[in-house]
Amino acid sequence: MADAVSIFMSIGLSEQKAKETLKNEALTSTLKKAIEQAQGLLGSASVDKTAGTLLYNMVTRLKDTNRLSFLTEYIITQKITSELQLSAALDFLKSHPQENLDRLEFETACGVGVVVTPEQIEDAVRTLHSLRLLWCENRFGLCSSGEARTALKWADGKIVKNEVDMQVLHLLGPKTEADLEKKPKAAKPKAAEKDVKIEQVSVENGEANTEGKSLMEQLRGEALKFHKPGENYKTEGYVVTPNTMNLLKKHLEETGGQVRTRFPPEPNGILHIGHAKAINFNFGFAKANNGICFLRYDDTNPEKEEEKYFTAIREMVEWLGYKPYAVTHASDNFQLLYDLAVDLIRRGHAYVCHQRGEELKGHNVPPSPWRERPVEESLILFDRMRKGMFAEGEVTLRMKMVMEDGKMDPVAYRIKYTPHHRTGDTWCIYPTYDYTHCLCDSIENITHSLCTKEFQSRRSSYFWLCNALDVYCPVQWEYGRLNLTYTVVSKRKIIKLVETGIVRDWDDPRLFTLTALRRRGFPPQAINNFCARVGVTVAQTTMEPHLLEACVREVLNDTAPRAMAVLEPLKVTITNLPTNKEVRVPDFPANEAKGSHVVPFSKTIFIEKSDFREVMEKGYKRLTPDQPVGLRHAGYVISVQRVIKDGCGNVCELEVTCASSDSVEKPKAFIQWVSDPLQCEVRLYERLFLHKNPEDPAEVPAGFLTDINPYSLTVIESALVDRSVGKSKVFDKFQFERVGYFSVDPDSTSEKLVFNRTVTLKEDPGKI
């Protein structure tokens, strides 16, 4: 170690930097090679600090170590002498992975042999008219040094900046006190000003469409660095082999340069809100680039897969407005995947292992004693696995590679004597995710394999396996998951909620599965809008449910027709109403051209109990014995004449008189009412959990099942609603005026409708 530290310090590294470098074995090994090659070129001379710094920077950034000698020679022979030239060289090599480089093209791209004299710098700066222009807006803004560097690409940046500073001083003189005075920062916009109109994603003709910004304009960070089809090798970390360019050429011939993505769920559970982001990203990215997206079921574990999940997954994808280019299954490729596994063994990259499952768990798994098993022996044993000659868990096929998280030799195949829903008893060995995923991507010519961040540790195995088999290798891109507070989305935990009777099923409206959100009445457009608002970043995103609910309100405000309903009815008799009549109610009061419906208006109506108070309180604006109230849409104002109570002293009926709205003073408030109504059941939902993070032991030490909100569901069995909704169908949505947004539940019958409250109305601070 001491020798290595000395070697590294000899090229100009500090002792601390040298010791830090030693912690990275791969970097240490490559840097030693570079220094040895440099010393071989220099003979007895030592590596100077400038060259040493360039060598170190080269080694830390060079992905293809086959180019190590090539670049080292250019640095030591002083053909590459600056960080700017080195960056250009690395970029050139990254975009030209072929073995035979055109040296002249390379040297031109890197500025080899280009000398910029101080006189040239002085002349170039003097010709930049922007210096005088800067006086008008920002007297001492030095952005013109950037312009000068652009004009003199290979000039030393420090010399350019010094020259610009000197000429600015000569032209404008020294800074005055006014120049030195700090300018006030621009005021930050208030929250209300920040909340500009978000991207609206609509579902039309079975496909999701965006208005305004495209999906690509919504992407941020890493997503903007996506490669073009066929330029996989330009991606950071992509492994280039001697056959890569041929495989990419064939890939382009087969796809025509088309963007191809896939949404690959496991059919062992119901999709949740996090999957909605994945659906929007995969399908949306493909559509934004005139590409295609596959729906591929990752059906490699027959023990957990059920037909109902296959059906529900496709239904939810199409409900969100996306149509897959094709629906495929990993099981479509079982024979090809098996043949590739045989090839992997023949190439010496896989072996049959007898270590048991419990021995393979964790990150400090001892190396398999069968790792160097002869190829022919593994081929025979793998064939016996295929023929069912071993018990479950007795043997596995493992790949000879180390994953990014340190896990060694991941399993490629395991034995399961469970009939597969599509292939029956044809197979008793099934491929794992680590083996299947990248190969199915390769088979389908996927260009962008978009995965959530937890799969980042599998990226190395993804590239390794494709390259080990010498097949087309797509690019895996990771992005941050979308999580919501006050909920759980893991399949195992939802099953526990169902089994313990806390929720009814996967589509219980208190959950955040997509089937639950649909049942609750969330429009697919609102979910898509929410995903667009969240955007796509590398960092994990955790959002509050109220942000999703805000998107729901925005959509329903424009799409849910109005109706009147009372959840806790109070009977009101209008003693002076001349005759029964009908009232026309607009479906959308803000735009009456969108239609209307008719409701009866008779002597007997029902209002909300909370809209009457026997004792007047300060600030209360609705009905009291001394305060009249208006009836929405009816054109009448009512005044209390008599309060009728039951035997317990509770108000059970009001007798009132009515007067035309035009003939009396305008009341302080107008309330909804129903007449000759339909009785219905209404279900009101609140958060299922009491704490933001019910899975966090720090917040809920006793576990998520102890954090259930006892008031998460309230059922009102005898609510009243006007007859305009009588012919509504399941999932039809309404705004019950002054109450909230509601959706027709599948439990509805021809005798009685059931409504789920989707979301409440926005809080009105003036309402008391």
Side-chain angles (χ1 to χ4, degrees):
M1 179 175 173
D3 290 343
V5 170
S6 298
I7 292 171
F8 292 166
M9 290 177 67
S10 72
I11 65 168
L13 295 189
S14 66
E15 184 177 357
Q16 182 182 355
K17 191 70 173 178
K19 288 180 178 179
E20 284 178 6
T21 302
L22 286 173
K23 294 176 183 177
N24 186 325
E25 291 183 13
L27 178 60
T28 297
S29 174
T30 308
L31 185 57
K32 280 183 177 179
K33 287 180 185 176
I35 294 171
E36 288 171 5
Q37 291 167 6
Q39 289 172 339
L41 290 167
L42 290 168
S44 58
S46 59
V47 179
D48 63 51
K49 187 172 182 179
T50 300
T53 301
L54 289 173
L55 281 179
Y56 181 80
N57 290 341
M58 172 194 71
V59 169
T60 57
R61 294 156 60 190
L62 184 65
K63 301 301 177 185
D64 183 2
T65 53
N66 293 325
R67 305 289 191 186
L68 186 69
S69 299
F70 179 80
L71 274 185
T72 300
E73 178 189 343
Y74 270 85
I75 291 171
I76 296 304
T77 56
Q78 295 187 348
K79 291 180 179 178
I80 291 177
T81 57
S82 69
E83 181 62 32
L84 191 63
Q85 285 183 295
L86 178 61
S87 295
L90 291 168
D91 288 342
F92 185 90
L93 293 179
K94 186 176 179 181
S95 59
H96 295 75
Q98 59 267 30
E99 279 190 52
N100 298 319
L101 282 178
D102 183 329
R103 282 205 174 225
L104 182 59
E105 185 184 0
F106 170 78
E107 291 180 359
T108 301
C110 304
V112 173
V114 177
V115 177
V116 183
T117 65
E119 291 77 15
Q120 287 175 307
I121 295 174
E122 183 180 350
D123 291 342
V125 172
R126 188 177 292 115
T127 60
L128 288 174
H129 302 293
S130 58
L131 284 170
R132 294 189 182 276
L133 179 63
L134 284 171
W135 170 257
C136 302
E137 296 186 14
N138 181 4
R139 190 176 177 217
F140 282 96
L142 297 180
C143 56
S144 58
S145 62
E147 296 177 72
R149 282 197 294 272
T150 301
L152 300 165
K153 184 175 180 181
W154 305 113
D156 186 302
K158 289 182 179 179
I159 297 176
V160 172
K161 186 178 183 304
N162 289 338
E163 181 63 31
V164 170
D165 289 349
M166 188 171 67
Q167 292 198 27
V168 168
L169 182 64
H170 175 71
L171 283 167
L172 307 177
K175 292 183 181 181
T176 65
E177 290 184 11
D179 294 322
L180 296 171
E181 189 177 321
K182 287 187 178 179
K183 294 183 180 179
K185 292 183 179 179
K188 292 183 179 179
K190 296 178 181 177
E193 294 170 346
K194 285 185 186 177
D195 190 19
V196 295
K197 190 176 188 296
I198 67 160
E199 173 64 20
Q200 297 294 317
V201 183
S202 62
V203 180
E204 298 173 1
N205 303 321
E207 291 194 17
N209 296 293
T210 58
E211 301 170 357
K213 294 182 181 178
S214 69
L215 179 76
M216 283 306 294
E217 288 176 304
Q218 296 169 36
L219 303 185
R220 300 191 291 273
E222 292 301 308
L224 296 175
K225 303 176 185 176
F226 280 178
H227 66 281
K228 294 178 182 177
E231 296 185 354
N232 304 28
Y233 56 86
K234 291 186 177 181
T235 304
E236 190 77 19
Y238 189 82
V239 180
V240 178
T241 70
N243 198 31
T244 292
M245 301 310 289
N246 291 329
L247 292 169
L248 289 175
K249 183 179 178 182
K250 182 182 175 185
H251 160 74
L252 286 174
E253 289 171 356
E254 293 177 357
T255 65
Q258 183 183 52
V259 166
R260 291 187 164 206
T261 61
R262 81 290 167 273
F263 174 59
E266 296 176 71
N268 59 6
I270 299 295
L271 303 182
H272 55 71
I273 188 66
H275 290 114
K277 177 178 177 179
I279 292 168
N280 270 275
F281 193 18
N282 279 283
F283 282 91
F285 177 71
K287 182 171 182 180
N289 291 278
N290 298 314
I292 59 175
C293 183
F294 294 81
L295 168 59
R296 183 204 307 147
Y297 294 109
D298 185 15
D299 58 340
T300 58
N301 188 350
E303 293 174 339
K304 296 183 178 180
E305 293 154 6
E306 295 183 44
E307 185 59 36
K308 68 177 183 180
Y309 297 135
F310 287 84
T311 304
I313 287 170
R314 181 168 185 176
E315 192 177 327
M316 287 299 98
V317 169
E318 293 179 349
W319 176 66
L320 286 176
Y322 294 105
K323 186 176 181 181
Y325 169 75
V327 177
T328 61
H329 303 73
S331 57
D332 296 339
N333 303 308
F334 274 176
Q335 183 61 53
L336 178 55
L337 291 170
Y338 175 80
D339 294 341
L340 288 170
V342 171
D343 188 25
L344 195 67
I345 297 170
R346 286 201 177 107
R347 291 169 180 261
H349 297 311
Y351 62 95
V352 173
C353 176
H354 299 273
Q355 283 181 297
R356 296 281 180 169
E358 55 271 16
E359 297 178 71
L360 299 178
K361 290 180 179 177
H363 290 285
N364 296 314
V365 178
S368 170
W370 293 278
R371 197 173 199 267
E372 302 306 325
R373 166 172 263 160
V375 167
E376 288 305 318
E377 192 175 306
S378 281
L379 287 171
I380 292 169
L381 291 171
F382 190 50
D383 182 58
R384 290 179 182 175
M385 287 174 62
R386 165 80 175 81
K387 292 176 179 176
M389 298 172 68
F390 294 101
E392 283 193 22
E394 189 176 351
V395 288
T396 57
L397 180 70
R398 295 175 67 184
M399 297 177 280
K400 288 186 179 180
M401 61 89 60
V402 180
M403 298 178 72
E404 289 182 28
D405 59 1
K407 188 176 179 182
M408 192 171 186
D409 296 358
V411 172
Y413 269 86
R414 71 279 203 217
I415 297 171
K416 288 183 182 291
Y417 291 109
T418 302
H420 191 274
H421 73 287
R422 296 185 76 235
T423 61
D425 294 323
T426 303
W427 298 90
C428 64
I429 57 172
Y430 293 97
T432 61
Y433 175 90
D434 290 319
Y435 178 80
T436 308
H437 186 65
C438 61
L439 295 180
C440 284
D441 280 353
S442 178
I443 292 165
E444 292 176 355
N445 268 310
I446 299 302
T447 56
H448 300 78
S449 182
L450 308 175
C451 307
T452 47
K453 195 71 174 173
E454 64 264 33
F455 293 100
Q456 186 170 7
S457 62
R458 290 175 157 114
R459 189 198 290 188
S460 58
S461 68
Y462 186 106
F463 291 159
W464 176 87
L465 183 54
C466 289
N467 291 329
L469 287 167
D470 201 22
V471 297
Y472 162 70
C473 183
V475 177
Q476 175 175 305
W477 287 92
E478 302 89 14
Y479 60 92
R481 286 183 56 153
L482 169 60
N483 295 323
L484 284 183
T485 54
Y486 296 101
T487 191
V488 297
V489 293
S490 98
K491 296 163 189 171
R492 181 176 56 83
K493 289 176 179 173
I494 291 176
I495 288 171
K496 279 194 174 184
L497 291 170
V498 174
E499 289 176 346
T500 53
I502 292 169
V503 298
R504 292 172 60 183
D505 208 336
W506 291 81
D507 65 348
D508 188 296
R510 290 167 291 178
L511 297 174
F512 281 85
T513 60
L514 293 184
T515 51
L517 295 178
R518 179 179 65 171
R519 184 168 187 172
R520 186 160 172 171
F522 282 38
Q525 300 98 313
I527 295 172
N528 292 342
N529 290 347
F530 176 65
C531 292
R533 176 175 283 185
V534 169
V536 179
T537 59
V538 175
Q540 179 173 290
T541 307
T542 301
M543 308 294 286
E544 298 270 354
H546 70 81
L547 298 171
L548 172 58
E549 291 170 0
C551 293
V552 172
R553 289 189 187 96
E554 288 174 2
V555 172
L556 291 181
N557 185 55
D558 293 333
T559 59
R562 277 42 169 180
M564 291 192 288
V566 292
L567 306 189
E568 295 183 325
L570 174 61
K571 183 180 177 182
V572 175
T573 301
I574 306 174
T575 59
N576 67 332
L577 186 68
T579 57
N580 295 345
K581 56 184 291 188
E582 289 185 336
V583 172
R584 183 163 293 280
V585 177
D587 293 335
F588 297 89
N591 184 1
E592 296 190 13
K594 293 175 74 173
S596 61
H597 58 274
V598 173
V599 296
F601 183 69
S602 64
K603 290 188 175 184
T604 301
I605 65 171
F606 297 88
I607 66 171
E608 284 285 359
K609 280 185 179 179
S610 60
D611 283 338
F612 171 74
R613 288 188 188 175
E614 193 172 7
V615 179
M616 180 68 173
E617 294 178 14
K618 184 179 179 181
Y620 186 75
K621 297 178 181 179
R622 286 162 282 157
L623 188 61
T624 72
D626 301 314
Q627 180 170 272
V629 74
L631 299 178
R632 290 179 68 81
H633 311 297
Y636 287 105
V637 175
I638 58 173
S639 301
V640 176
Q641 302 301 313
R642 181 178 172 217
V643 178
I644 303 171
K645 300 183 179 181
D646 61 17
C648 299
N650 299 315
V651 176
C652 60
E653 184 180 349
L654 300 176
E655 288 184 354
V656 304
T657 57
C658 68
S660 169
S661 301
D662 298 333
S663 63
V664 295
E665 185 181 343
K666 183 179 178 181
K668 292 181 179 179
F670 287 81
I671 62 173
Q672 83 275 18
W673 52 273
V674 292
S675 179
D676 190 22
L678 298 172
Q679 190 176 92
C680 63
E681 180 178 310
V682 169
R683 298 170 182 171
L684 307 178
Y685 299 99
E686 300 292 345
R687 290 170 178 160
L688 182 59
F689 296 98
L690 297 170
H691 290 82
K692 268 190 176 185
N693 303 295
E695 299 170 277
D696 185 353
E699 283 191 44
V700 188
F704 74 102
L705 290 177
T706 66
D707 194 45
I708 303 300
N709 176 9
Y711 307 108
S712 62
L713 171 61
T714 301
V715 178
I716 301 172
E717 295 183 350
S718 300
L720 301 177
V721 63
D722 73 49
R723 290 187 172 273
S724 68
V725 304
K727 294 182 180 179
S728 55
K729 304 181 296 297
V730 171
F731 301 137
D732 279 354
K733 297 162 184 62
F734 300 92
Q735 184 198 107
F736 291 169
E737 296 196 41
R738 299 183 63 246
V739 180
Y741 292 101
F742 290 78
S743 177
V744 180
D745 188 82
D747 288 344
S748 297
T749 66
S750 55
E751 288 78 32
K752 189 174 186 179
L753 289 171
V754 178
F755 289 94
N756 294 319
R757 183 172 68 189
T758 306
V759 288
T760 59
L761 297 175
K762 285 186 178 179
E763 287 297 322
D764 179 0
K767 178 182 172 183
I768 299 179

